[in-house]
Amino acid sequence: FGYQQSAPPSGADFQQRLAKIDAMIKEQMVTCNVPGYSIGIIKSGQVVFEKCYGYADIERRIPVSNDTIFGLASVTKTFTGVTLLSLVDKGLVGLDDPLEKYVDGLTKPYKGLTVRQLSSMAAGIAEKVNPEVEWKDQLNILVNTPLVSEPGSQYLYSNFSYRLVGSIIAKASGKRYLEMVNETIVAPLQMKNTATTVMLAPTGMVAQGYALNKAKQLVPVEYKSPAVSFAAGMLASNCNDMLKYALGLMSRRLLSEQGYRTLWYDRPPLTTGQPNPWAFGWKAGPNASIGGQHQVFWGGATQGVGSIIIILPESNCAVVALSSLRTPEVHQIGKTAMRMA
């Protein structure tokens, strides 16, 4: 992979950079009316910055801590991608297998969709399918919804693709999706506060989600039901656990070498010859703003959730950032922090 282990930066110059990141986040919290925010920065495989801002619950004046749990929304897809590829490593799933091998009750257009097409959002599955209900009741509605492009020809982001991948994981492993995520990632990395908002509610550590109303005031919102989001967005976590996740991924221990190549580098072109930058939960490619380094990242955005994970696999650097507000500006804070670090 060309990955290098080096000592993390230190000295007055680096401390000054971190102070500037801190000042930038404080300013953005005010400018963008962000209720609560938690961020961790890893350089050369070591955590160099971990800070919390604002409130987990504004009404009750509970400040955000490193243990505050936020929704991950679509960052869940990165967990789904890793879990799927661990099954590929074990020979339980083939990326070119047809969907009908793992899911029953499909209509003809859906039967031949491949695991690879679904995992890289190139299966042609619609972005919206009505009504959106719990996944166990959704499948029958989905397979009677026409595909919107020729499979393999276009990148079309669809949560339903990843819910199907969750069903593939369950069928191939003989275990529930969450059980497999737990076995593959959460337990080995000792991520004790990573599950769903519903499962974690008894901890009392789940942040209140917020949205901005028309007057740009923060109003509390409910999290989307994990039973609806399923493998496309059901997870929640905190900054401590997400740092463990980033470090665990960068340790190259969760998958085989080929598994990591597939996860972070191999992006099979579409049938049109166009490149597809997205697969297995991550958008991958060179980031011009940091000297063209290979970057993999994804963000989550749904009601009450703004999450992001950015990894530079070749220099073992990462940013994880979690928030209780969904706006483009919230995602930008994490991206700016990566550039400044």
Side-chain angles (χ1 to χ4, degrees):
F1 293 122
Y3 114 81
Q4 299 150 342
Q5 187 63 36
S6 57
S10 56
D13 194 35
F14 184 60
Q15 291 310 316
Q16 210 170 359
R17 287 220 301 275
L18 295 181
K20 281 183 177 162
I21 290 170
D22 183 42
M24 177 272 294
I25 296 169
K26 284 176 178 157
E27 185 192 346
Q28 289 299 306
M29 292 289 292
V30 177
T31 309
C32 306
N33 204 0
V34 183
Y37 193 80
S38 185
I39 186 169
I41 300 174
I42 297 166
K43 296 287 276 188
S44 303
Q46 288 187 38
V47 179
V48 294
F49 186 88
E50 190 177 6
K51 261 196 108 162
C52 304
Y53 304 84
Y55 291 96
D57 188 314
I58 296 169
E59 290 73 26
R60 291 157 62 207
R61 308 303 280 173
I62 300 170
V64 173
S65 76
N66 293 333
D67 296 318
T68 300
I69 294 160
F70 294 91
L72 293 182
S74 286
V75 169
T76 300
K77 293 181 178 77
T78 68
F79 288 77
T80 303
V82 172
T83 304
L84 177 74
L85 290 174
S86 77
L87 294 173
V88 173
D89 277 347
K90 292 182 180 112
L92 294 172
V93 174
L95 290 178
D96 296 309
D97 288 349
L99 181 58
E100 67 178 334
K101 183 174 174 182
Y102 305 98
V103 178
D104 298 328
L106 299 174
T107 52
K108 193 163 182 290
Y110 284 78
K111 285 182 177 178
L113 299 178
T114 68
V115 177
R116 196 188 303 274
Q117 287 166 348
L118 290 159
S119 306
S120 56
M121 299 292 189
I125 289 176
E127 188 189 354
K128 290 190 167 51
V129 177
N130 292 321
E132 193 175 23
V133 291
E134 289 192 9
W135 178 240
K136 64 181 174 59
D137 304 320
Q138 183 78 51
L139 187 62
N140 193 42
I141 302 168
L142 176 64
V143 298
N144 287 292
T145 303
L147 297 177
V148 290
S149 65
E150 181 66 30
S153 69
Q154 272 189 60
Y155 164 71
L156 284 169
Y157 192 80
S158 168
N159 285 314
F160 301 98
S161 273
Y162 261 65
R163 292 171 195 168
L164 284 166
V165 174
S167 292
I168 291 167
I169 288 168
K171 178 71 174 176
S173 66
K175 296 176 181 174
R176 297 200 339 269
Y177 164 77
L178 266 184
E179 211 179 323
M180 275 316 292
V181 170
N182 213 39
E183 204 175 285
T184 310
I185 303 166
V186 174
L189 299 181
Q190 299 185 315
M191 297 167 67
K192 295 187 170 39
N193 291 291
T194 301
T196 70
T197 49
V198 174
M199 292 163 77
L200 294 164
T203 64
M205 296 306 293
V206 178
Q208 171 63 52
Y210 292 92
L212 291 171
N213 65 13
K214 284 191 174 133
K216 299 284 187 222
Q217 295 160 320
L218 291 164
V219 290
V221 291
E222 296 273 316
Y223 288 114
K224 190 167 178 171
S225 160
V228 173
S229 299
F230 188 45
M234 81 192 300
L235 293 177
S237 189
N238 62 20
C239 198
N240 284 335
D241 271 15
M242 289 304 287
L243 285 167
K244 287 178 184 176
Y245 179 49
L247 289 165
L249 283 169
M250 293 190 292
S251 75
R252 316 298 197 275
R253 287 197 319 260
L254 294 181
L255 297 169
S256 67
E257 188 169 334
Q258 181 54 52
Y260 270 105
R261 193 168 294 288
T262 305
L263 184 73
W264 283 343
Y265 291 89
D266 294 348
R267 294 294 178 267
L270 301 164
T271 53
T272 56
Q274 290 296 307
N276 181 356
W278 200 98
F280 303 101
W282 304 86
K283 187 173 187 185
N287 182 341
S289 72
I290 44 174
Q293 270 200 76
H294 185 76
Q295 169 182 287
V296 290
F297 87 96
W298 201 237
T302 188
Q303 53 205 41
V305 180
S307 58
I308 194 166
I309 179 167
I310 307 170
I311 294 179
L312 308 177
E314 280 147 37
S315 56
N316 274 353
C317 297
V319 167
V320 296
L322 306 172
S323 177
S324 47
L325 179 69
R326 168 196 188 163
T327 63
E329 292 80 10
V330 168
H331 277 152
Q332 208 49 55
I333 299 170
K335 291 178 183 177
T336 304
M338 173 58 93
R339 212 166 46 239
M340 292 170 72

